[in-house]
Amino acid sequence: MASILSFFRKPKTKDTGLRGTSAGRLYVDKRVFYKRPEVKEAIRQLKESVIIQEQIETSRI
C-alpha cells in the first residue's frame, strides 16, 4: 500500500545536502548544505564566538 501511495505523491523529506554516487560514496552538496538554517546559525555563532575572535587576533600578529 505504501508503495502505491509513494507512486502518486512524493514523500515530504528534509533535504540535508548529503548525496551518494552510484558507487556508494557519499559527498556533501555544498549549495544545499550551507543554505540550511541550522548550519547558518552554527556558522554565525562561530563567527561571533569570543574564543574564535581571540585566535584570529593572535594569528594576525
Side-chain angles (χ1 to χ4, degrees):
M1 183 70 173
S3 63
I4 294 172
L5 290 177
S6 66
F7 179 73
F8 290 114
R9 66 175 176 86
K10 299 273 184 192
K12 294 182 181 179
T13 59
K14 190 176 197 180
D15 189 9
T16 60
L18 187 64
R19 305 282 186 257
T21 64
S22 59
R25 299 183 73 188
L26 294 176
Y27 66 96
V28 175
D29 184 358
K30 293 178 185 176
R31 184 172 289 167
V32 175
F33 180 75
Y34 286 114
K35 286 185 181 180
R36 294 174 56 196
E38 58 269 14
V39 173
K40 285 183 179 181
E41 180 64 23
I43 291 171
R44 187 190 61 77
Q45 287 177 358
L46 278 174
K47 285 182 179 179
E48 295 175 357
S49 173
V50 175
I51 296 171
I52 299 296
Q53 294 297 328
E54 289 174 357
Q55 289 179 358
I56 290 171
E57 288 300 321
T58 58
S59 65
R60 286 185 183 171
I61 297 175

